[in-house]
Amino acid sequence: MANRRQELIDEAREMVGLYTKAEKAVLLNQSYTIAGQSLTRADLDKIRLGRREWETRLNTYIGQGEMVIRRVLPMDY
């Protein structure tokens, strides 16, 4: 179980890294012109959305198994 969790964490970290690199590449050179045609490299909004999704997954994977109950207060009704 711990190995699978670590695999998920590693994959999520890799994907966040790839999306971050893609975002930087698009920011540096979003559009260009070839032979009079204007072309757009990629959709920056979709890249950012994908990065956020993988960051959320990563945070979820890292947070699993770390919940700690510090105090229980019995209540009398």
Side-chain angles (χ1 to χ4, degrees):
M1 182 73 172
N3 277 343
R4 179 64 182 143
R5 182 171 171 253
Q6 189 58 50
E7 288 173 7
L8 292 171
I9 290 170
D10 292 344
E11 178 186 23
R13 282 187 175 138
E14 179 183 3
M15 292 304 294
V16 168
L18 290 172
Y19 271 102
T20 300
K21 286 179 185 177
E23 186 175 356
K24 286 178 183 178
V26 170
L27 286 170
L28 291 173
N29 193 9
Q30 172 62 16
S31 58
Y32 51 95
T33 304
I34 296 176
Q37 265 191 316
S38 181
L39 304 167
T40 301
R41 183 178 184 128
D43 188 343
L44 186 58
D45 290 335
K46 288 182 181 178
I47 292 171
R48 287 180 170 163
L49 184 64
R51 181 179 46 79
R52 280 188 225 116
E53 178 184 329
W54 279 101
E55 287 171 342
T56 300
R57 286 186 191 190
L58 177 59
N59 290 332
T60 300
Y61 299 150
I62 289 173
Q64 287 178 350
E66 295 181 9
M67 188 166 93
V68 177
I69 298 174
R70 297 191 197 287
R71 188 179 342 170
V72 176
L73 300 173
M75 304 287 289
D76 186 24
Y77 290 97

